[in-house]
């Protein structure tokens, strides 16, 4: 394994991580909500993509849309169940409820898609490119491009636009926002629908790299935590950079130290950051 | 809070429950598992209900107790008392390390780090050969608690049940005493009003660390007995099943109810053992119970029951304070 190959792997992995975490970034930074069922939505969306391609015979781009639709649906159902807790800003209860949803989704996936590991083969993964002696597939390039597009869209849409201002006002003070004539529950639903769609998009693009099982999703959750915390909670550009950095770190660690402990090493990074600058992690509503 | 029933009534209830699995025709296995997992849930209960933080690392304490037991018993041939000490020590040390790291963290960041710790612990258990790797540790000998001339062994569920029952009684007593203790009162104050606690001269971080570390031995002791009950310890202990089970047990009946986690565990395990629909549907039921208990039933089943009773009976002013559930 040469260094260039690992660096390129890291860049691809980093964009995948950033894309996986983008839903959480918005959820937390914009609406001050959390979702511990994130990994299970990833898992379920990966299965839906596989099913749309292998079962329904849809072309891959359409399958991605189907998966995103499923993600939106899951997000809306979750938010509908938690609306009362959301209005109370009861983060502790929201955390536990989303964990419960995660467990349910695992059961549903087992019931619907069975316990067999599935491999999703996309047309893009057959196309190879050689860059400086290292190999990448078109699938990898798609991950990078979609990730950059998603972050650019968010950066200009949320941190600059009126939409983001509305959402941040809701996060800052839901009651005041309601008085100002904002339909608060619609904002909450929109944010959760976005979370579902974003993680489904990430799953549809990233999951073809690995076998799809009902037990996947945990690594993705840890990665998301690290990206969100490292990037400065709720910061869009921070999350992108954190995802990229973590991807390169994981690829180098996996390539040169131990692939089995890559997640553990990512957790180690999280701990170091938390111990070094705990004050930077105070939860600020509305991001920055 | 509910007033503690007269000691005599408690004694009678304890004896009835103790004899119940025999009367029901040898259900010792289910009762033992309920008692063990309830004890594990009480560790989490203290942190969730009294400290007001959601720890997602209590499966690690549970698994640490089980792993310490399995490794000491199979590799070193240690007896029941040594493995118990090892299990408690393992749980305490991990809780101390994790507690110090998360000292400054609150709310969801705390939960996030404890959850990450669980996932990492699972990765280590899967990959580290010293811990048996993916195969885990099998062939754990039967529990032997003989001391001096006293012979005490438990070779099957019927013989493990008295021990599990005793462990449960000890846990109930300890949790009750904790809630009446100075530390328990300080924990509630830190939970409900951290600023007031600080102004009253309470070292908030110290209380948080103390309660977190104190909660670990419960879950670790449960892991100790669970290792003997299953005769096998593996990375499956880190699965979300145990985490979701403990959380459901804590919130299903109602928070800060002494018997809440026990009843919650009994309901969940009872459904799985006697009304099972297969693993996948059971997972949906368990996850669904957790969602419903928190999202639709504020105050859990206990709160629901009270509201139903209050609607039927003429309104009697309830002297009860409900602050504890409004965390």
């Amino acid at each position: 394994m040469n260094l260039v190959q690992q660096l390129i792997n890291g860049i691809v992995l980093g964009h995948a991580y950033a894309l996986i975490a983008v839903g959480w970034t918005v959820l937390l930074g914009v609406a001050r909500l959390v979702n511990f069922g994130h990994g299970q939505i990833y898992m379920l969306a990966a299965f839906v993509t596989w099913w749309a391609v292998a079962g329904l015979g849809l072309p891959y781009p359409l399958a991605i849309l189907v998966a995103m639709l499923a993600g939106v649906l899951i997000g809306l159902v979750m938010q509908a169940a938690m609306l009362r807790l959301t209005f109370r800003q009861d983060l502790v209860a929201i955390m536990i409820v989303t964990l419960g949803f995660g467990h349910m989704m695992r059961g549903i996936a087992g019931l619907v898609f069975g316990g067999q590991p599935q491999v999703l083969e996309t047309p893009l993964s057959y196309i190879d490119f050689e860059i400086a002696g290292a190999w990448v597939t078109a699938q990898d390039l798609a991950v990078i491009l979609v990730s950059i597009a998603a972050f650019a869209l968010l950066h200009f849409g949320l941190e600059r636009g009126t939409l983001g201002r509305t959402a941040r006002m809701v996060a800052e003070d839901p009651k005041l926002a309601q008085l100002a004539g904002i339909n608060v529950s619609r904002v909450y639903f929109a944010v959760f629908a976005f979370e579902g769609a974003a993680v489904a998009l990430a799953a549809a693009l990233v999951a073809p790299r690995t076998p799809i099982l009902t037990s996947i999703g945990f690594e993705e959750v840890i990665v998301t935590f690290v990206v969100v915390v490292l990037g400065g909670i709720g910061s869009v550009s921070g999350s992108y950079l954190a995802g990229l950095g973590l991807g390169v770190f994981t690829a180098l660690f996996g390539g040169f130290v131990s692939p089995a402990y890559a997640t553990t090493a990512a957790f180690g990074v999280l701990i170091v950051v938390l111990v070094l600058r705990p004050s930077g992690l105070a939860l600020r509503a509305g991001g920055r | 809070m509910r007033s503690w029933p007269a000691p005599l009534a408690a004694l009678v209830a304890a004896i009835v429950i103790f004899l119940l699995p025999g009367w029901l025709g040898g259900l010792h296995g289910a009762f033992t598992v309920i008692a063990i997992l309830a004890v594990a849930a009480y560790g989490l209960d203290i942190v969730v209900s009294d400290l007001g933080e959601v720890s997602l690392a209590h499966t690690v304490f549970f698994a640490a107790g089980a792993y310490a037991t399995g490794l000491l018993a199979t590799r070193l041939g240690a007896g029941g008392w040594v493995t118990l000490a090892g299990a408690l020590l393992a749980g305490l040390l991990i809780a101390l390390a994790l507690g110090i790291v998360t000292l400054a963290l609150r709310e969801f960041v705390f939960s996030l780090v404890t959850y990450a710790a669980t996932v990492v612990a699972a990765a280590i258990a899967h990959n580290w050969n010293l811990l048996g790797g993916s195969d885990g540790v099998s062939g754990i000998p039967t529990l032997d608690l003989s001391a001096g001339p006293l012979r005490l062994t438990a070779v099957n569920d019927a013989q493990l049940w008295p021990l599990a029952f005793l462990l449960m009684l000890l846990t109930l007593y300890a949790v009750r005493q904790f809630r009446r203790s100075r530390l328990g009162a300080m924990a509630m104050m830190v939970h409900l009003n951290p600023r007031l606690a600080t102004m009253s001269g309470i070292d908030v971080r110290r209380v948080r660390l103390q309660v977190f570390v104190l909660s670990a031995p419960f879950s670790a002791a449960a892991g100790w007995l669970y290792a003997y009950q299953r005769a096998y310890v593996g990375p499956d202990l880190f699965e979300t099943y145990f985490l979701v089970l403990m959380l459901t047990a804590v919130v299903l009946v109602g928070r800060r109810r002494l018997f809440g986690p026990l009843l919650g565990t009994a309901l969940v395990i009872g459904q799985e053992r006697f009304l099972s629909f297969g693993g996948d549907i059971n997972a949906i039921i368990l996850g669904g119970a957790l969602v419903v208990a928190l999202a639709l039933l504020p105050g859990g089943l206990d709160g629901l029951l009270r509201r139903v009773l209050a609607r039927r009976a003429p309104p009697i002013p309830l002297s009860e304070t409900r602050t504890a559930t409004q965390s």
Side-chain angles (χ1 to χ4, degrees), chain B residues 86-167:
Chain B
L88 294 177
L89 197 67
L92 278 172
L93 285 179
I94 294 177
L96 191 64
L98 200 57
I100 289 172
V101 169
T102 57
L103 203 55
L105 307 177
R106 298 219 51 191
E107 262 197 348
F108 98 96
V109 186
F110 175 82
S111 305
L112 189 144
V113 173
T114 50
Y115 190 55
T118 303
V119 176
V120 166
I124 292 173
H126 266 289
N127 291 308
W128 198 11
N129 286 332
L130 184 71
L131 300 180
S134 300
D135 296 334
V137 182
S138 51
I140 296 172
T142 51
L143 179 56
D144 186 351
L145 285 172
S146 302
L150 189 71
R151 315 263 356 125
L152 181 62
T153 56
V155 296
N156 55 26
D157 282 340
Q159 291 178 2
L160 273 173
W161 163 242
L163 289 169
F165 183 74
L166 192 67
L167 185 64

Side-chain angles (χ1 to χ4, degrees), chain A residues 148-159 194 236:
Chain A
I148 290 174
F151 273 92
L153 204 73
L154 269 186
H155 182 68
F156 293 110
L158 271 188
E159 298 197 329
F194 177 83
V236 171

Side-chain angles (χ1 to χ4, degrees), chain B residues 14 31 36 55 67 83 101 140 181 184 204 224 228 255 267 302 305 307 323 326:
Chain B
F31 273 70
I36 291 172
S55 159
Y67 263 100
T83 55
V101 169
I140 296 172
S181 72
V204 171
W224 167 72
Y228 284 113
R255 282 185 242 177
L267 284 173
D302 180 56
L305 194 69
R307 262 173 291 148
T323 43
Q326 303 290 326

Side-chain angles (χ1 to χ4, degrees), chain B residues 60-249:
Chain B
V60 178
F61 308 151
F62 179 62
Y67 263 100
T69 305
L71 292 172
L72 286 172
T74 54
R75 308 266 161 91
L76 303 178
W81 294 109
V82 176
T83 55
L84 177 60
L88 294 177
L89 197 67
L92 278 172
L93 285 179
I94 294 177
L96 191 64
L98 200 57
I100 289 172
V101 169
T102 57
L103 203 55
L105 307 177
R106 298 219 51 191
E107 262 197 348
F108 98 96
V109 186
F110 175 82
S111 305
L112 189 144
V113 173
T114 50
Y115 190 55
T118 303
V119 176
V120 166
I124 292 173
H126 266 289
N127 291 308
W128 198 11
N129 286 332
L130 184 71
L131 300 180
S134 300
D135 296 334
V137 182
S138 51
I140 296 172
T142 51
L143 179 56
D144 186 351
L145 285 172
S146 302
L150 189 71
R151 315 263 356 125
L152 181 62
T153 56
V155 296
N156 55 26
D157 282 340
Q159 291 178 2
L160 273 173
W161 163 242
L163 289 169
F165 183 74
L166 192 67
L167 185 64
M168 194 184 72
L169 284 187
L170 281 174
T171 302
L172 283 171
Y173 179 74
V175 170
R176 175 171 169 266
Q177 290 309 108
F178 165 77
R179 293 211 165 126
R180 294 180 167 193
S181 72
R182 209 174 123 70
L183 182 63
M186 287 196 292
M188 271 320 274
M189 197 155 166
V190 167
H191 171 188
L192 296 174
N193 197 337
R195 279 188 200 170
L196 183 64
T198 310
M199 280 192 284
S200 316
I202 294 176
D203 186 344
V204 171
R205 290 186 171 196
R206 198 183 151 87
V207 169
R208 286 166 57 85
L209 184 63
Q210 278 177 339
V211 174
F212 188 67
V213 171
L214 183 76
S215 76
F218 292 106
S219 301
W224 167 72
L225 205 52
Y226 197 59
Y228 284 113
Q229 200 267 336
R230 284 209 314 185
Y232 163 74
V233 172
D236 64 312
L237 288 172
F238 294 99
E239 276 186 13
T240 28
Y241 166 74
F242 289 100
L243 180 62
V244 174
L245 172 68
M246 285 188 212
L247 280 171
T248 309

Side-chain angles (χ1 to χ4, degrees), chain A residues 81 84 92 95 110 218 222 267 274, chain B residues 54 111 113 115-116 120 280 283 288 295:
Chain A
R84 197 176 51 81
V92 170
M95 254 167 3
F218 292 102
I222 296 296
F267 176 71
L274 287 173
Chain B
V54 180
S111 305
V113 173
Y115 190 55
V120 166
D280 291 328

